[in-house]
Amino acid sequence: MRQTRGPAAAGPHGTPTALGGWADALGTAVAGLLTMALTAALGLWAAGAAGLPDGAFPSVVAAAVVAAAGGSLSATGNAGVIAEAHAAVDAVPLSVTLAGALVTALVFLRPLRHRAVAPAGELLGRIARTAVCWLVLLLLLALAAHHSFTVSVGNELADRLGALLGSTPTVGFRADIPATLGYGLLWLLAVLALAFLVSRKAPLTPRLLRFQDSVRPPAAAMLLTLLVYTALGLVVGVVELIVRGDPARTLAVILLGLPNLAWMALGVGVGGAWTGHVDTALGLPLPHALEQVLRGRGEHPLDLGSLGAQDGRVWLLVAVAAVVLLGAAFTAAVHAPARTPAWRHALEMAAALALTLLVVGLVTRIDARYGLSLIGIGDLGGDLGGAVTLTPQLGRLVAVGAAWGLVTGFAGSLAARRVRHPGEVRDARRTPPRSR
């Protein structure tokens, strides 16, 4: 039966009218950013940010959403004429990012789910209207994402002298509005492009239909891999929440940085590596083995060897990677054209996994540090300074991703040969002759 839509939503050929198109665009932007705000608020509340002074909680939530949506935050510091505060934060709360990306993509594709082909003009129009609504709402969040905190040097007399001399140290943050809007737009376009890339229900323009059989299966397999790792991380987090103490800390990790840890587990499991260090002054909620490896001054390697020395169970990540990637490769081969050779599946999976691990490395990097110096000489010590850094070894991640993709892609293709592929028609030449 032919579906019809209201006059405010669709034109004569199912294309959206101006009012309906803008309503869909606004709904997509609101749904995505609201999901991100709720996730960030719950995670920050669990982390104790609701108790920040001077009503800073809404500003911190706005800042977390800005960071998760690809925006840029600038640290601010001012300590008058004799002291100087330093601060820098570069990290992405991927739980917030993932939640917003999934909801944004689902809501955007919902009006298009019953169509296989759509004109390029219509799709570009939908994307443009969504981008306008997204940028307006992101601008409002960026304007709200600013706050300053007064830092005590730990000595009452020094605090009083600082106040008299106008050198009371403050640290804070604010959104870099031009960079936030620019990167936020790129983030939205990337999410929508990936939605068309991985969803078999998303319509394509006639010119792009010929690419869907070769691109969509490996792309969807990579999304499946990342979601499976996130789900496994969620299971581990829930077990930690039930079995061990400090549930607020565990909940904060789940709601703010679960994919950061889960996707790093994928990279480590296939042989990738990061380097970094953590100062205990920051008190970040990190898994014990990870914190033990990174704690202290200087850069420390983070890979299977260093983590395995702290906890032998880390070596299970290799087996998990093998099972998940073989399953993803098998799924990709099943949804690819039936007569695609195994070597082509292997090359497609190698390229897809190498690119995926490159992106994982880029989005999991962290550089957060703060400090306070007096007349430009050193750090005043105590809890006034700290840092956490995490830098991916991108070349290694890409190399091991390509290697694992080749092996699992080839194996998955061989395993899928006896499985009927969607849309496959078995003709007389492939049907075995009947015995007489």
Side-chain angles (χ1 to χ4, degrees), residues 28 103-112 126-127 130 192 196:
T28 299
V103 171
T104 299
L106 289 174
V107 176
F108 180 86
L109 292 178
R110 180 176 171 78
L112 302 169
R126 287 181 179 273
I127 293 172
T130 302
L192 297 183
F196 282 102

Side-chain angles (χ1 to χ4, degrees), residues 28 69 104 127 130-132 134 183-193:
T28 299
T104 299
I127 293 172
T130 302
V132 170
W134 180 270
Y183 289 121
L185 177 60
L186 292 177
W187 185 93
L188 176 67
L189 295 178
V191 167
L192 297 183

Side-chain angles (χ1 to χ4, degrees), residues 94 98 102 194 198 218-234 258-267 324-325 328 352-353 355-361 363-364:
L94 287 179
L98 181 61
L102 291 175
L194 288 173
V198 303
M222 290 301 98
L223 176 62
L224 176 64
T225 298
L226 295 180
L227 292 180
V228 167
Y229 264 87
T230 303
L232 292 175
L234 180 60
L258 178 60
N260 297 67
L261 298 174
W263 297 350
M264 281 178 59
L266 167 62
V324 174
L325 291 176
L353 186 55
L355 181 59
T356 299
L357 289 180
L358 173 64
V359 173
V360 165
V363 299
T364 54

Side-chain angles (χ1 to χ4, degrees), residues 307-394:
L307 287 172
Q310 299 294 329
D311 189 341
R313 294 173 297 178
V314 169
W315 291 98
L316 291 174
L317 292 177
V318 180
V320 173
V323 172
V324 174
L325 291 176
L326 280 172
F330 174 81
T331 302
V334 167
H335 288 95
R339 297 185 179 181
T340 304
W343 64 264
R344 182 171 174 179
H345 282 297
L347 290 177
E348 290 174 351
M349 282 295 296
L353 186 55
L355 181 59
T356 299
L357 289 180
L358 173 64
V359 173
V360 165
L362 292 174
V363 299
T364 54
R365 67 179 301 273
I366 299 174
D367 186 5
R369 60 185 77 238
Y370 67 91
L372 183 66
S373 62
L374 188 66
I375 320 179
I377 302 177
D379 194 355
L380 294 184
D383 287 341
L384 297 176
V388 54
T389 63
L390 196 61
T391 304
Q393 296 183 6
L394 295 178

Side-chain angles (χ1 to χ4, degrees), residues 217-320:
M222 290 301 98
L223 176 62
L224 176 64
T225 298
L226 295 180
L227 292 180
V228 167
Y229 264 87
T230 303
L232 292 175
L234 180 60
V235 171
V236 173
V238 171
V239 172
E240 289 278 333
L241 195 66
I242 297 173
V243 174
R244 299 190 177 182
D246 204 355
R249 171 178 170 143
T250 304
L251 187 60
V253 174
I254 292 174
L255 292 172
L256 294 176
L258 178 60
N260 297 67
L261 298 174
W263 297 350
M264 281 178 59
L266 167 62
V268 170
V270 297
W274 282 255
T275 58
H277 78 277
V278 172
D279 291 343
T280 56
L282 288 179
L284 292 176
L286 296 175
H288 179 72
L290 183 61
E291 188 173 357
Q292 289 298 314
V293 170
L294 298 179
R295 180 178 294 175
R297 295 186 178 276
E299 297 293 315
H300 304 280
L302 179 67
D303 54 18
L304 278 170
S306 61
L307 287 172
Q310 299 294 329
D311 189 341
R313 294 173 297 178
V314 169
W315 291 98
L316 291 174
L317 292 177
V318 180
V320 173

